[in-house]
Structures are given as C-alpha cells and as structure tokens.
Amino acid sequence: MDDSVARARGGFPARAFWLGVFGVTAAFSLFCLGVEYTPDSLHYLSVARGLLSGSGLSGTLLAVDTAMPRPLDLWPPLFPMAWAALLWLGPDAAVITLHLLCFAVLAAALFSMAPEGQGARYIWTCAVLIVLYRPFGHVAAAAWSEPLCVALLALALAREVRGADSVGRSFLVGALLGLAVLTRYAALFVLPGLLLWRFVRAREAGVPRRHVVHALALGAGLGLVVAPWFVRNGVLFGRAMGPPRAPRGAGLLSSLLSGVETLLGEASFGAFGVLCVAATVWLLMPALRGVRGERPPDASLERLRPAALMAVSYVVGLFWTATRTQMDTLDGRLLAPLGVGLVPVTAAVLVSLVERSRLMSPPVLIITGVVVVAGHLWAPLHARVRQPRLGLQHLRERVAPLPAWVEAHVTERDLLLGPQLWWGHPFSRAPVVADGYPERGFLTRQTLGAYLLRHGAAYERFFWFDTRPPPVDAAAFEAVEVARLETNAYWSTVWEIRPVGRATPVDGREAIPAP
C-alpha cells in the first residue's frame, strides 16, 4: 500500500502494520522458548487446574492460614482463567500461546496510535522499541499475568488515543481497563492519568459537561467489570483486593530512593528507560500547559498526550503504594505496564526528531535498528540454546527426586508440608502447605501444630519435607522419618507427623521425638 494514500485516509500502511505485528511476535517467541515458573506461577497453575476440576477459583497450594481448597486471594482472576481455557494444550504450551497472542495484540494496539503523517516510520520505530523495552522481554519468559495485563491496557489506551468522544467508546475504555485490573491490580494506577486527560480535553474544548459525562461512562465501564470480583473479595476477606499485605518494612526515604534507582537503572531497562522518560517529559510538559492555549512541541503528537499522562500516573501510583505497603521490588514485572505509555510516546518523538535531522537518513535508521535489535535478541536466544528452560519438565529435574517419591507414595487424602514446597506442588495429587509462601507466614512451632489441629481431620497422613524434623510439640505429635531423598535441597528427609493417639504407620520405623 502506498504511504501517501494511507496518510491521506488518516491511517497507516497495512503492509507495515501486519509485518510489524508478525516481527514483534516472532521476536518475543525467542523469549518464550522456555517457560520459567515462580511461586506466583505455581499458584496461578493451581487455580487454573481447580477451575477445570470444578472447584472454582481455588487451588490446593495452601498457606499457613488457609484451608483446602484455598480461594484465590492475593491475585485477581483473569490470568488463571485464561490459562485454564488453554490448559488442554499443556501448561507450558498454554502459557507460550497466551503470551504470544498478548504481544501480538500489544503491538497492534500501539501501532494503531500512529500520529498523523508518521505512518510506517512510526510503526517500525515502535516495533523496535517494543522489542528493546526490557521489562516486556522479562515478563514474556515466565508464567506471569503481566503480558495479558499490558495487552488489555494497550487496547484501552488505543481506544482513548484514537478517540473516545462518545458515551459508548468511553464505556469501552473503562471496561478494558477493568479487565486489565482483573489481571493486575496495579493497572488501577493509570486511572488518574486518563481522568486528568479528560479534564485537559474539557478545558481545551470548552464543553466540560460533555466530557464529565464521558468520564462517568468510563468509570461505569470500569466499575461494572470489577464490581463482582471486589464484592466477592469483600465477602471472603473483608477487603476489595483480598487479604491485607504486610506493612512497609523499609523507611519511606529508602523505599523511594530504591525505586528511583531501579526505575532508571540498568536493573530495569537502563539507558533506554532514561530515553523513554525524557521523551515523555518533553511531550508532556507543554501539553499540560494546553489548558492555557499552548500546544505540544509538535501538533501531530498531541494525540499521544493520554499515553504520556498514563505513564506518569502509573509511576506515581507505584511510589505511592511503596510508601504504604510491602510490595515487590520495582523490577521488570511492575515496570512492564509502564511501557504501554512510554513506548508509543518515545517512538513518535524519535520519528519527529529524526524527520527534522539531516544526519539520520532512512537507510541509516534501518541499519541501526536491525543491528540494535539483533544484538538485543542475541543474549536471550544464546541463553536459551545453552541452558534451555523446558517449563515443568525442567522444574521436575531441578527438584528431583521429590516428584517421583510424591507420585509413588502420596494420595489425594494426604497433606504435604515443608519449606518452599511450592516447587513440588505441580507433581502432587495431595494439597501442599508451602512454608514461607509469599506474604502469608511460616510454619513454626507456634503455627504448625495449630494448623494441623485445626485442619488435620480432613487428611489421613501428614508428610513433612525438610532436613530437620518438623517443629511440633512432642506432647501432641510424633515425627517418624520415612525416607531419605538424594538431594541437597530443602527436602532431603521425609517425615510423617502423627498426632498422638492416631496411628497411621507408613512402615515399621520407630518414632523420633519431636524437637
């Protein structure tokens, strides 16, 4: 398609669009050659399997304060629901398929925001930046919810940038944002930026009443989507977003300084992140003065002001949360949604600057982009080839021989307990209580016995996996060593915990007194 014809129609070249979507998806397939599993991933998998087994949004990966089945509590439901829908492909293939679909949607949505006149140049620049934005690659390589969240955020932002000047379109933006919130609660941080954009538009247009109605429609779409889940959490846990998280441990100043260092440092996305932030500020500062009649540096870029405001709002929300609760380090997971706002702004600003430069010709830009992207993709590709991560099979090999013993000796009527035992949960038919599960406490002398006395009647046997006997009261329990595993991990010894007066011998070994 001829670029001039596409620009005359106010669109962009279809050929560049589809080639860009294909190129981005192909690039991220390199990050998805193997799936990494974390404790969060295994809890999502447990809930996805629970959905397919008919137990609803609950799973058998338990914490020290939860019974069986454990309802989904700390995380929203959309990702495990999507995983369950594709689980017939197998856990690894389901995650890879979902992630690649999400990054294809992300690319298509960001491409559709092309400023007038930039056409294919914006699309190719945006495609390169999507691949170079390190947090996107970070979350693509693991069984996490962030790829689905950024895809939904990109769809909401694309609708806003392309025009949400009606009640129906505003409602759609809110509904898409609500779906993103049901994937990661942090997506709520972009809401103030979108509402501020509505205020700026109302001041510029001089018709505040219409924009107030549209803002209310956006809020209605958001509320209608998230309300059922928030009500469910309120009934079960007393809070709309699930059980309370641990209070902030570090001081306020140290938390903020650590966040700034990570946001701009090499640990997240390095010099490229600084470039994105600089481009956003360059566009946004004059744009905010638009309420007094001034325009952005380039009039063709003004449609991307909601993307810039969304990025700023998200960062402010992250730091605000860090001052109140204990949250994850500002790593690639939390910075991935930020790229939805930063990348299109940076792409448009770079194209605008290059168009004014006499030094950067199209051939130079193409060669530079190819070299940079190839160099960026070489590291993950080389790492996957040398040390491939084969998903659950790789995890099984890492924790061997634990899975084999569990599959041979444990039934669904037993209960497994031990430090970091979430790694063995995917291979167990029995529920697992993972000592040290994130933000939910530890199994100690004070908590282990109390848990068994409260919930133990539902199980036939209790197995403790550790190098040391279980920390239970000898007056109430006895610990029997039943197996030794050839591993240097946490689970070298298997103990059966027997309540006093309840005999369920596994073999003829004598009980070892509890510590």
Side-chain angles (χ1 to χ4, degrees):
M1 179 182 293
D2 182 75
D3 285 8
S4 61
V5 175
R7 286 195 294 269
R9 295 190 354 238
F12 46 82
R15 180 180 301 174
F17 176 85
W18 291 113
L19 286 176
V21 171
F22 175 79
V24 169
T25 307
F28 278 99
S29 67
L30 300 180
F31 294 97
C32 298
L33 287 177
V35 179
E36 179 183 2
Y37 286 87
T38 67
D40 289 1
S41 307
L42 299 177
H43 186 54
Y44 285 134
L45 178 59
S46 175
V47 174
R49 288 174 169 173
L51 280 169
L52 295 181
S53 67
S55 61
L57 285 165
S58 60
T60 58
L61 181 54
L62 312 179
V64 298
D65 57 350
T66 59
M68 213 292 290
R70 174 190 179 183
L72 184 61
D73 44 18
L74 294 178
W75 297 275
L78 200 56
F79 177 68
M81 293 171 68
W83 197 350
L86 296 172
L87 205 53
W88 59 274
L89 295 171
D92 301 339
V95 170
I96 293 172
T97 301
L98 181 60
H99 281 7
L100 293 181
L101 288 174
C102 289
F103 282 107
V105 170
L106 170 71
L110 297 191
F111 294 166
S112 70
M113 304 179 197
E116 183 179 358
Q118 292 195 358
R121 290 163 294 178
Y122 166 85
I123 290 175
W124 292 121
T125 305
C126 190
V128 170
L129 296 185
I130 291 172
V131 175
L132 292 181
Y133 188 71
R134 190 173 299 171
F136 286 163
H138 179 61
V139 300
W144 290 335
S145 60
E146 280 75 14
L148 182 57
C149 179
V150 299
L152 292 167
L153 279 178
L155 288 174
L157 180 62
R159 181 66 276 172
E160 185 71 29
V161 167
R162 296 174 63 187
D165 51 355
S166 69
V167 172
R169 291 177 177 178
S170 297
F171 185 89
L172 177 60
V173 171
L176 290 169
L177 179 57
L179 291 175
V181 172
L182 292 184
T183 307
R184 286 287 293 184
Y185 292 134
L188 270 177
F189 295 151
V190 309
L191 180 60
L194 294 179
L195 294 179
L196 178 59
W197 163 241
R198 296 300 178 105
F199 170 76
V200 172
R201 285 191 64 195
R203 291 292 299 271
E204 291 178 348
V207 284
R209 178 176 297 181
R210 185 182 68 178
H211 289 283
V212 168
V213 172
H214 294 169
L216 291 175
L218 187 153
L222 170 64
L224 187 64
V225 171
V226 303
W229 180 253
F230 284 1
V231 170
R232 174 259 193 193
N233 284 346
V235 172
L236 290 179
F237 312 113
R239 297 178 75 253
M241 295 186 185
R245 296 176 180 267
R248 176 170 52 85
L252 173 60
L253 181 60
S254 61
S255 297
L256 294 178
L257 291 178
S258 175
V260 171
E261 178 184 2
T262 307
L263 183 65
L264 299 180
E266 183 62 26
S268 56
F269 49 96
F272 175 59
V274 178
L275 172 64
C276 291
V277 173
T280 302
V281 172
W282 186 76
L283 171 65
L284 190 57
M285 293 305 292
L288 287 177
R289 296 197 296 270
V291 295
R292 298 202 302 266
E294 299 185 26
R295 313 305 292 174
D298 188 329
S300 67
L301 305 182
E302 66 178 5
R303 71 181 306 196
L304 289 174
R305 285 182 289 172
L309 287 170
M310 173 180 162
V312 172
S313 175
Y314 184 81
V315 171
V316 172
L318 284 181
F319 283 114
W320 176 79
T321 303
T323 65
R324 300 174 61 87
T325 62
Q326 188 71 36
M327 62 184 295
D328 297 336
T329 306
L330 284 183
D331 60 7
R333 294 190 67 179
L334 287 174
L335 292 178
L338 179 61
V340 176
L342 289 183
V343 167
V345 170
T346 306
V349 170
L350 287 177
V351 171
S352 179
L353 293 176
V354 168
E355 288 176 342
R356 303 175 185 180
S357 172
R358 298 180 179 179
L359 299 177
M360 301 300 289
S361 61
V364 173
L365 291 176
I366 293 173
I367 294 174
T368 302
V370 169
V371 171
V372 171
V373 170
H376 180 73
L377 293 178
W378 169 251
L381 178 60
H382 186 250
R384 299 298 190 278
V385 170
R386 292 191 60 186
Q387 296 179 336
R389 295 180 295 192
L390 302 178
L392 283 182
Q393 179 60 34
H394 176 66
L395 177 60
R396 184 185 185 92
E397 295 171 357
R398 281 176 51 196
V399 300
L402 175 65
W405 192 93
V406 168
E407 291 169 348
H409 298 91
V410 174
T411 72
E412 63 274 7
R413 299 182 299 276
D414 299 327
L415 178 66
L416 310 185
L417 309 99
Q420 298 197 23
L421 200 57
W422 53 72
W423 299 118
H425 175 265
F427 316 105
S428 172
R429 292 171 290 175
V432 172
V433 180
D435 177 32
Y437 197 72
E439 304 175 336
R440 301 307 294 265
F442 295 84
L443 291 171
T444 63
R445 177 178 288 272
Q446 290 74 31
T447 61
L448 176 56
Y451 184 91
L452 295 178
L453 291 175
R454 182 177 181 183
H455 303 293
Y459 308 99
E460 290 187 356
R461 299 176 298 179
F462 315 124
F463 291 109
W464 174 266
F465 295 78
D466 196 1
T467 57
R468 296 171 297 178
V472 290
D473 186 356
F477 301 93
E478 58 182 1
V480 180
E481 180 184 327
V482 298
R484 288 185 180 269
L485 307 180
E486 295 181 0
T487 175
N488 58 1
Y490 297 94
W491 320 290
S492 60
T493 307
V494 184
W495 312 79
E496 185 187 357
I497 304 174
R498 299 177 186 172
V500 172
R502 176 181 171 186
T504 56
V506 175
D507 54 27
R509 304 187 188 194
E510 296 183 356
I512 297 178

